[in-house]
Amino acid sequence: MTGESTEMPYTRDLVRLGFESVADWSINEDNQERITPKGIEGRQGRMTELFAVKNALYAFCSGEKVLYIGKTSQSLGKRLAGYSNPGAGQRTNLKCNALIKARIAM
């Protein structure tokens, strides 16, 4: 043990490191998952740009709490699509999908 903290950082820590909050994950009235641009007008273009990035770090946050940090060699959009619509044999995607849905339902 190195004495380093194993606690997850807060959202503000990620922003200081260069992370951007670009989208919200939700479930609509038809029980379908949606990833929508966050907040300001014109954000769709920025979300599209970031979702094309490969070899990206990403995080799932709820309020100020960081729930998960991941890295993808795929495009970010492709990685998130895997989480929102996992195949039967994709264990990590199935696990993350279940965790995301449980958090949204809270």
Side-chain angles (χ1 to χ4, degrees):
M1 190 145 166
T2 63
E4 293 179 28
S5 173
T6 58
E7 290 182 24
M8 291 296 270
Y10 289 98
T11 304
R12 65 182 172 272
D13 299 323
L14 295 181
V15 170
R16 276 195 296 263
L17 292 171
F19 278 71
E20 292 183 49
S21 180
V22 296
D24 286 317
W25 200 308
S26 60
I27 297 176
N28 67 18
E29 56 278 351
D30 296 326
N31 204 30
Q32 295 176 331
E33 295 174 46
R34 293 184 46 176
I35 301 172
T36 54
K38 227 177 155 142
I40 62 173
E41 191 173 321
R43 203 65 168 159
Q44 180 69 43
R46 182 66 175 145
M47 187 176 88
T48 300
E49 177 185 334
L50 290 173
F51 277 22
V53 171
K54 293 183 178 181
N55 294 314
L57 293 174
Y58 60 94
F60 293 129
C61 303
S62 180
E64 279 296 309
K65 188 174 181 183
V66 176
L67 305 174
Y68 180 83
I69 297 175
K71 185 219 177 273
T72 182
S73 58
Q74 303 173 347
S75 70
L76 186 56
K78 193 174 212 177
R79 172 36 99 204
L80 296 180
Y83 287 154
S84 66
N85 190 23
Q90 297 175 315
R91 289 185 358 195
T92 300
N93 287 355
L94 288 165
K95 177 183 169 186
C96 286
N97 180 272
L99 292 170
I100 290 164
K101 283 184 172 180
R103 190 63 183 199
I104 291 171
M106 294 177 89

